[in-house]
Amino acid sequence: KALGFDSWRYDFVKGCPAKYVGTYNQAHPYYYSVGEFWDGDATKIKAWMDATKTTATGEQVPAAAAFDFELKYRLKDAFVNHQYPLLDPNQQRVGLSGFRGYAPLSVTFLDNHDSGCINRNDCDNLFSKSTKALSRGYAYLLTHPGIPMVWAYHYFFQDPSGGLQEEIKNLIYIRKKYGINAQSAVTVIQTSAGVSGHYVAEVDNRLLVKIGKKDYTPNANWQELYRTDNYTIWVKS
């Protein structure tokens, strides 16, 4: 803390009971804490988060946040495998943000040091092999609820041309300018699967986001704000 660190990242939290994360959080004042509960089922991640609210001695503390692995895998389905719906069978948004009150505790991401493909072939998914898929993935993360994480490798090294870095900068600017935040409201407008599929959603009645190849033309209330080959963002006029 003397060096300026003010938050905790708990690695491999499946390795100990969640109550000890709660105990550590109680003992050491912090700005934020997040755990790596590596599981593709958001229900299990949520259960771990809920368990961090009780210390080893039974006292109640705020829940720890968690990396949203379910969303990570579903974004891979959408933007690498072209299965765009990003809704569960009950038509609810996937990931931790699908649970009421958990979006501010959802750290959304595409890849990290464990899953990304840096000089290795055993990476967890294909995001880091496809700059186009990363472009679409960050368009989703940076316009949707949760606390988005940009992996430094993607930002600095993925695209030597600097194009992906510039897109991420612009998306961060748009998120800040239009007040998109961890608790923003999302209404899914259209989805279609396949290589030429797409995902269209309205965010906070401020932005309209279309990700994917299929064309979409909004009504006259929307003005085009930012366009790339992989997505388009409109703002309410």
Side-chain angles (χ1 to χ4, degrees), residues 222-233:
W222 296 96
Q223 178 181 353
E224 186 174 303
L225 177 66
Y226 186 55
R227 175 185 291 268
T228 75
D229 291 339
N230 296 302
Y231 56 86
T232 306
I233 300 173

Side-chain angles (χ1 to χ4, degrees), residues 67 127 147:
F67 292 103
F127 263 119
I147 300 173

Side-chain angles (χ1 to χ4, degrees), residues 32-53:
Y32 197 72
S33 76
V34 56
E36 183 202 51
F37 191 93
W38 196 325
D39 200 293
D41 184 345
T43 302
K44 294 178 180 178
I45 303 172
K46 176 181 176 294
W48 174 83
M49 296 163 73
D50 290 340
T52 66
K53 294 190 287 188

